[in-house]
Amino acid sequence: NASLLGILQHPDGTVLKQLQPPPRGPREQEFYNKVYDSDCCDRILLELREYLPKYFGVWSPPTAPNDTYLKLEDVTRKFNKPCIMDVKIGQKSYDPYASAEKIQQQVSKYPLMEEIGFLVLGMRVYHVSSDSYETQNQHYGRSLTKETVKDGISKFFHSGYCLRKDVVAASIQKVEKILEWFEGQTQLNFYASSLLFVYEGSCQATTVRLSDGTLAEKRRVPKGLLSGGDVLEYNNNIHVINSTENGKIEASVGKGLSKFYALHKKSCSKRHHSQLSLKVENSEQDNVWKSSTCITQEHLNGNVLPQLEKVFYHMPAEPKESAKVEVRMIDFAHVFPSNTKDEGYIYGLKNLITVLQNILDN
């Protein structure tokens, strides 16, 4: 059951997506392994990497070695107030091997999939005016018709003050790049896969001085979500109980069980650390470093799950321009080898671009 699966945030800035039961989980793992194989020299797959979250292999908790998680880049991490939308792409949300029952179930969920070619699975928009997030789940997306889909999607780009046309324009460019990739490849077909849109909702980050003399961005967290030094991770089934002195987090994963997982910094292998600075050298004390607590949202199988992130290391602040808009492909439990273009996915991308262009023009 997808709702029982959780996404944990690892202290090193990756997310841990629990592998789904076979055949879906192994298929997704195999897809990532193939695309990110260090010996890969296929131009098509190498280019595809640009449009995916980075992949860091699999991870298992020391206490439950049979539970496997995909270790993926947290695409929302560099944003202060990430606005997130998850859009399922394609004319069919069931794969070629689906049972009649599965097909019926998927079609009845959103009969317009064939005609529109995409479905909004959820969104979370930061409203500057009220300093709060508005969230829509997949029922919102399924309620959209051909007539209302443009207004339904434009809600994602509205800050409470104005329509963020800059973000719409940037999103179109990113989706067009993905379309170009699909137009040039005939080796993979994607079903029930999504595009994750992320953009910066806040006007600017306020900078505060920490007690140790370094600078950090202050990220406001709604009252009640954090208590003292503890981190609460709001997720369908994962609650981070407390963070202990050595930076270990203990998480209980609820599947009717109360397992305790210890996530140790050291469980993350050396190569993942190459992208992190774990300590600030004296010569770098003058730099601006950021340490943050922010609410991000990750998607899992059509559930958009709010959660809290605690960053354990000081990381260099990224240039603001790069943090403007991200569009990444996610969810690959139904990717199959093919010898034709993925016409269903291409159809969905073109329709989505048309809708975004209409939002921009009006």
Side-chain angles (χ1 to χ4, degrees):
N1 184 340
S3 64
L4 290 176
L5 301 174
I7 288 197
L8 267 175
Q9 256 162 330
H10 196 282
D12 65 5
T14 59
V15 289
L16 299 169
K17 176 181 178 179
Q18 189 161 21
L19 217 59
Q20 298 171 65
R24 291 172 302 160
R27 203 187 289 129
E28 182 162 37
Q29 183 183 348
E30 193 187 334
F31 169 80
Y32 275 114
N33 284 340
K34 181 176 174 174
V35 175
Y36 283 94
D37 185 345
S38 55
D39 298 329
C40 175
C41 52
D42 180 335
R43 183 186 57 80
I44 296 290
L45 298 183
L46 292 173
E47 193 191 325
L48 178 59
R49 291 179 186 180
E50 289 176 45
Y51 312 120
L52 309 184
K54 291 189 185 74
Y55 172 63
F56 302 105
V58 292
W59 180 90
S60 293
T63 53
N66 296 329
D67 286 6
T68 307
Y69 292 80
L70 297 171
K71 206 162 188 294
L72 301 165
E73 171 190 9
D74 178 1
V75 181
T76 67
R77 183 188 177 87
K78 65 183 177 184
F79 296 90
N80 184 5
K81 297 286 185 187
C83 297
I84 300 160
M85 178 170 65
D86 180 343
V87 185
K88 189 190 280 192
I89 307 288
Q91 288 178 283
K92 296 181 169 73
S93 55
Y94 52 88
D95 68 48
Y97 303 95
S99 64
E101 187 187 5
K102 177 71 175 174
I103 293 172
Q104 182 50 47
Q105 178 221 349
Q106 286 296 322
V107 171
S108 63
K109 271 188 181 177
Y110 194 59
L112 283 174
M113 195 78 183
E114 191 80 33
E115 203 173 341
I116 294 180
F118 61 85
L119 166 63
V120 177
L121 290 179
M123 64 172 73
R124 187 160 176 277
V125 190
Y126 176 71
H127 285 171
V128 181
S129 43
S130 58
D131 185 27
S132 64
Y133 280 97
E134 182 187 348
T135 303
Q136 303 291 350
N137 64 17
Q138 52 181 319
H139 298 289
Y140 172 81
R142 284 192 227 149
S143 71
L144 299 177
T145 64
K146 279 182 295 183
E147 292 69 39
T148 61
V149 70
K150 176 181 155 246
D151 290 342
I153 285 185
S154 69
K155 191 190 269 276
F156 174 64
F157 299 101
H158 212 283
S159 70
Y161 284 128
C162 64
L163 180 68
R164 292 285 305 274
K165 290 201 165 188
D166 58 324
V167 176
V168 183
S171 299
I172 292 170
Q173 286 184 324
K174 302 253 180 187
V175 179
E176 280 175 341
K177 290 286 291 175
I178 293 171
L179 174 59
E180 234 172 84
W181 181 84
F182 271 90
E183 292 282 19
Q185 71 91 21
T186 57
Q187 55 175 291
L188 293 170
N189 281 4
F190 295 74
Y191 301 90
S193 187
S194 286
L195 288 184
L196 188 71
F197 290 76
V198 190
Y199 73 89
E200 182 55 70
S202 68
C203 305
Q204 68 207 66
T206 53
T207 303
V208 292
R209 191 164 285 278
L210 294 182
S211 54
D212 66 357
T214 57
L215 289 171
E217 278 179 27
K218 179 183 178 191
R219 298 186 176 191
R220 305 243 334 261
V221 175
K223 287 186 190 70
L225 294 186
L226 288 181
S227 56
D230 295 356
V231 194
L232 291 174
E233 185 160 327
Y234 284 90
N235 196 316
N236 277 4
N237 65 326
I238 296 180
H239 313 281
V240 174
I241 311 295
N242 57 22
S243 52
T244 55
E245 296 74 18
N246 64 359
K248 177 180 76 175
I249 351 178
E250 293 182 316
S252 77
V253 176
K255 290 182 209 162
L257 306 167
S258 58
K259 291 184 192 168
F260 283 84
Y261 285 174
L263 307 181
H264 293 279
K265 286 184 197 175
K266 66 172 180 282
S267 70
C268 155
S269 77
K270 292 287 181 285
R271 73 194 171 97
H272 306 156
H273 282 164
S274 63
Q275 59 191 329
L276 297 172
S277 257
L278 298 186
K279 58 180 190 290
V280 185
E281 302 297 341
N282 292 340
S283 62
E284 293 173 322
Q285 287 291 348
D286 303 331
N287 284 4
V288 176
W289 294 78
K290 69 178 183 191
S291 149
S292 59
T293 308
C294 70
I295 294 175
T296 64
Q297 189 141 345
E298 255 302 337
H299 153 274
L300 179 74
N301 259 24
N303 295 333
V304 177
L305 308 174
Q307 58 182 12
L308 285 168
E309 170 193 1
K310 174 102 174 190
V311 178
F312 289 82
Y313 317 129
H314 290 305
M315 294 190 66
E318 305 208 16
K320 275 286 163 269
E321 309 81 77
S322 71
K324 203 171 174 193
V325 180
E326 286 283 0
V327 179
R328 302 288 185 93
M329 295 167 62
I330 57 170
D331 287 353
F332 307 111
H334 304 274
V335 179
F336 294 90
S338 162
N339 50 16
T340 60
K341 277 193 199 180
D342 190 340
E343 296 297 352
Y345 200 108
I346 288 171
Y347 176 89
L349 288 179
K350 286 181 172 173
N351 270 6
L352 182 56
I353 290 168
T354 302
V355 170
L356 294 172
Q357 197 62 55
N358 286 340
I359 292 170
L360 194 59
D361 295 343
N362 296 351

